């Protein structure tokens, strides 16, 4: 594996050209059969019975973009809404605030302190960028319960990490891409070159290679580590995706937050009736959140069920059973998965579910770091 710095961020390519890496003309993929799905896919069990959340005051501190990003933050918001509809949380007892791009740690801490000062408990921080600020504010307020999405570094008794097996869900959409590609060349666009997004990349590449060992996977990051603009720059998302499509990829998976809209637009502009291109969404079922006609190029989305984690956390606080929460929201608890909206992968769901069952049963171990 090689790496190089380019104008739009970091890039690498996991396929060797001499192995039929795929060009504009396409290369035939050599595909393996799906694993035998003994007993079918296990049905996830509920984390805990529904409690009564009517007495809670819940504060949400969103990541960059806040509500309306059609992805990560909106999925967290859906978990809050489910708590309102299903377990009695009162809308008037919620407060939602959002981060600004490239803001200071002080600004993040001030937002958390504001929620605490206004009587919200628990407070949910959406995104790993809150880790440093959350550790400070949670230490100051030991009687307030906090949760943080996508980070497990804050080890305090009043802080609950809500983390996911993103690599498992990404494995499944990587398998889908390898089953559907005509060029035997696919792409991955990450928002920021960070260990978290590496999990998406690692799973996607592993899933694609499990299906088609000779598939070529182009990998690019919109911004380098430390520069979080890559999660909120649609124009640069378009530029990076266009480079992969021009290079011969016919399916592109984005894990780039609001920048993913630009990836979808690039794929939509490149697709033709006789040479269709497709995109893979992330976090939410983006076929249902992205406006038509652009959504028609989204063949599936990797569902990172932040909504499941947020709802279950609020329910656990209300019921006094935080210890029932899983250490990671994975396939076995419906914490990650894939979407079927639009019908574009209906013909391969049996194969994807066979891989899903093999992961849940322990027959396949998905890497969480790029190989």
């Amino acid at each position: 594996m090689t790496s190089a710095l380019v104008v739009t961020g970091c890039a690498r390519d996991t396929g060797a050209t001499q192995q039929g890496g795929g060009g504009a003309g396409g290369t035939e993929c050599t595909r393996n059969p799906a694993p035998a799905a003994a007993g079918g896919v296990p049905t996830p069990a509920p984390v805990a019975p529904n409690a009564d959340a009517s007495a809670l005051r819940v504060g949400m501190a969103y990541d960059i973009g806040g509500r309306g990003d059609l992805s990560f933050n909106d999925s967290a918001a859906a978990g809050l809404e489910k708590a309102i509809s299903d377990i009695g949380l009162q809308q008037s007892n919620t407060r939602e605030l959002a981060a600004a791009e490239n803001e200071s740690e002080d600004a993040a801490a001030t937002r958390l302190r504001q929620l605490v000062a206004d009587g919200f408990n628990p407070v949910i921080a959406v995104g790993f960028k809150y880790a440093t600020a959350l550790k400070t504010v949670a230490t100051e307020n030991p009687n307030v319960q906090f949760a943080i999405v996508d980070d497990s570094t804050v080890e305090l008794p009043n802080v609950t990490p809500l983390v996911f097996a993103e690599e498992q869900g990404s494995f499944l959409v990587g398998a889908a891409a390898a089953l559907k590609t005509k060029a035997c060349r696919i792409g991955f666009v990450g928002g920021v070159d960070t260990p978290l997004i590496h999990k998406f990349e690692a799973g996607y590449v592993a899933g694609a290679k499990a299906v088609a060992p000779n598939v070529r996977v182009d990998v690019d990051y919109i911004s380098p580590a430390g520069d979080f603009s890559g999660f909120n720059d649609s124009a640069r998302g378009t530029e990076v995706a266009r480079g992969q499509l021009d290079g011969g990829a016919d399916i592109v998976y984005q894990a780039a937050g609001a920048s993913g809209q630009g990836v979808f637009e690039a794929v939509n502009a490149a697709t033709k009736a006789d040479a269709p291109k497709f995109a893979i969404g992330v976090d939410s079922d983006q076929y249902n959140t992205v406006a038509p006609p652009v959504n028609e190029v989204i063949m599936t989305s990797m569902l990172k069920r932040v909504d499941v984690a947020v709802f279950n956390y609020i329910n656990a606080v209300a019921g006094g059973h935080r210890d029932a929460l899983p250490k990671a929201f994975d396939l076995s608890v419906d914490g990650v998965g894939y979407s079927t909206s639009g019908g574009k992968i209906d013909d391969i769901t049996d194969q994807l579910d066979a891989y899903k069952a093999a992961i849940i049963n322990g027959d396949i171990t998905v890497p969480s770091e790029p190989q």
Side-chain angles (χ1 to χ4, degrees), residues 278-321:
F278 294 102
I280 297 174
V282 75
D283 297 336
S284 304
D285 184 350
Q286 295 196 285
Y287 181 88
N288 291 328
T289 60
V290 173
V294 175
N295 70 330
E296 290 298 330
V297 301
I298 301 174
M299 75 174 205
T300 185
S301 295
M302 195 288 279
L303 301 178
K304 176 177 172 178
R305 302 297 303 274
V306 181
D307 58 330
V308 169
V310 167
F311 170 79
N312 277 287
Y313 173 71
I314 295 171
N315 186 51
V317 172
H321 44 66

Side-chain angles (χ1 to χ4, degrees), residues 14 124 319 366:
T14 67
I124 302 170
V366 183

Side-chain angles (χ1 to χ4, degrees), residues 99-145:
E101 189 172 315
N102 294 324
E103 69 179 15
S104 66
E105 292 292 346
D106 286 345
T110 297
R111 183 177 310 109
L112 297 175
R113 288 191 182 104
Q114 179 182 344
L115 291 169
V116 171
D118 290 342
F120 291 94
N121 182 9
V123 173
I124 302 170
V126 184
F128 62 84
K129 73 180 294 293
Y130 279 102
T132 300
L134 181 67
K135 184 174 182 179
T136 299
V137 178
T139 300
E140 295 169 351
N141 299 276
N143 295 322
V144 176
Q145 295 296 324

Side-chain angles (χ1 to χ4, degrees), residues 45-67:
V47 172
N50 281 0
D52 178 7
S54 59
L56 293 183
R57 288 171 55 80
V58 179
M60 296 283 287
Y62 291 118
D63 206 342
I64 297 166
R67 270 193 187 250

